[in-house]
Amino acid sequence: MTTGRGTDILRAALIGAALLCAPAAHAQDAAPAAAVAADAAERRAMNARVFDRVWTEVRREYYDPNLNGVDWDAARETWRPQALAATDDGQLYAAINGMLDLLDDAHAAASSPASVRRQDAQHRDRPVIGITVSREDDGGYRVSAVREGSAAADAGVQVGWRLGGGWTPDHDVVAGQAVRVEFVDAAGDRHPLELMPRIMPPLPVFTADRSRPGVLVLSARAFDPGMARWIGAELSGLPEDVDVILDLRTNAGGRLYEAEAVLGCFLPRQVPWAWRTGRGGRRQPLTTGAPCGELAEPLSNDLAVLVGPGSRSAAELTPAALQESGRAIIVGAPTAGAVLISLDTDLPDGGRLTLSRADFVTVSGVRLEKTGVRPDVITPTSDQALDVAIAALADPVETARVGVGRD
């Protein structure tokens, strides 16, 4: 037992020990806070770099030096604070795209790093939940396709449902990690789901269907590299009495040089088919490429092209040229009207900016931006387009007489 002076010495020792330990405890508490502050500062700095790169690129490179009448300095003052305050990619790219929406240009858009990673991985096996979404005018997303055999299909997700919470395209899909997402159907009912990604092979970009006698249907989901070469191989040696249908209803466009080469499959070489006008105002003709792939000469078989609201960009330019030249009958529904010629720019965080660099009009001077291609034969639904096209090629006189939605 310790008493008197010994007790005082012990008490002093304990107080000293407490004083020595106290700063260490505060340091441990302060370390996470400092790390959070550092992360927030780093996030803000990157947000600034990305936003400023987009703003400057538009100012310097957009095809219209007047920026469609938008006060770009005022746009910066409005949207930059929101971008810098963003705590994740979803908020950052919502602010950037909010600013880009002022241009009223479907080709002016920024993709987050997660979206870019998905785009770059689309041609190899990868984890997917099985939905394709399109961005709405209000910044939200709507399901435009559901993949058969996917988690989304098994859960009953329907085309037309909106994303109402949880996952967005600004988030990665990782194998083994469930994705929580809430959908909102047309009636406003909410469907909170947990979807486990599945490793699935890429969907084919190009497919050929010879199941119908006397008809070859060539479907392309994008004007990806190799499209013209593939079409040329499919058309090589084709009997003259076989009708050809080019299905572009779900084609979002792609490479302009592929559009020129595809037109070379059906039109004479070096024929002007459009005009492009860049930022400097110089007008340049676009001409068809050499006969594509294995074809020695352009195909002379009867041709129809299927289009719809999902047809964009090069998938509008191509049918417009074939329509104006009288080479093909266009069947389906009016296209999206997103035809300005664009290029991509990589952003500092791994995102990507798509920006219109040239205006486009057809060879006869028709501007398709915002109006799109109007088919020769308009079908009540997209599903009917193929059958109507087959009938139109088999008997164009009867199709004209009946006038099935003919414009």
Side-chain angles (χ1 to χ4, degrees), residues 34 141 185 243 253 291 358 379 391:
Y141 293 93
D185 64 24
D243 293 336
T379 59

Side-chain angles (χ1 to χ4, degrees), residues 35-265:
V36 170
D39 288 345
E42 184 177 351
R43 171 90 231 185
R44 186 178 179 86
M46 179 56 76
N47 290 351
R49 289 181 61 197
V50 174
F51 181 92
D52 291 345
R53 177 65 184 275
V54 171
W55 186 90
T56 302
E57 192 78 7
V58 174
R59 168 69 82 190
R60 293 177 177 174
E61 302 295 336
Y62 192 61
Y63 85 99
D64 178 6
N66 296 317
L67 303 181
N68 290 340
V70 176
D71 184 337
W72 206 234
D73 290 326
R76 184 177 188 272
E77 294 301 315
T78 298
W79 291 100
R80 193 173 191 269
Q82 297 183 39
L84 267 60
T87 58
D88 59 33
D89 287 344
Q91 295 175 12
L92 171 62
Y93 279 83
I96 291 173
N97 282 308
M99 180 178 68
L100 293 173
D101 286 344
L102 298 175
L103 297 171
D104 193 24
D105 178 349
H107 275 108
S111 300
S112 68
S115 295
V116 171
R117 286 190 288 270
R118 275 193 302 277
Q119 293 168 18
D120 291 345
Q122 63 181 318
H123 297 306
R124 60 177 183 266
D125 293 0
R126 60 189 177 96
V128 301
I129 59 175
I131 59 171
T132 301
V133 298
S134 56
R135 186 169 176 266
E136 301 284 282
D137 291 340
D138 62 3
Y141 293 93
R142 187 179 300 275
V143 177
S144 56
V146 179
R147 183 168 180 178
E148 185 177 352
S150 68
D154 290 351
V157 178
Q158 301 295 312
V159 171
W161 285 9
R162 287 177 60 93
L163 301 188
W167 182 88
T168 71
D170 299 311
H171 297 85
D172 286 305
V173 174
V174 181
Q177 295 184 13
V179 173
R180 292 180 175 83
V181 57
E182 184 173 74
F183 296 92
V184 182
D185 64 24
D189 294 331
R190 307 186 81 85
H191 304 266
L193 298 174
E194 185 172 273
L195 305 175
M196 181 59 71
R198 299 174 184 173
I199 303 295
M200 302 187 77
L203 292 169
V205 180
F206 312 130
T207 56
D209 180 0
R210 291 178 167 81
S211 63
R212 299 167 181 82
V215 178
L216 171 62
V217 181
L218 302 176
S219 301
R221 295 192 298 110
F223 277 71
D224 277 359
M227 179 177 173
R229 185 172 62 253
W230 168 75
I231 289 180
E234 295 294 338
L235 297 180
S236 181
L238 192 71
E240 293 182 0
D241 60 348
V242 175
D243 293 336
V244 176
I245 297 176
L246 182 60
D247 188 352
L248 303 178
R249 286 175 292 180
T250 60
N251 191 307
R255 308 293 183 178
L256 180 61
Y257 67 81
E258 285 293 343
E260 293 179 323
V262 168
L263 288 172
C265 299

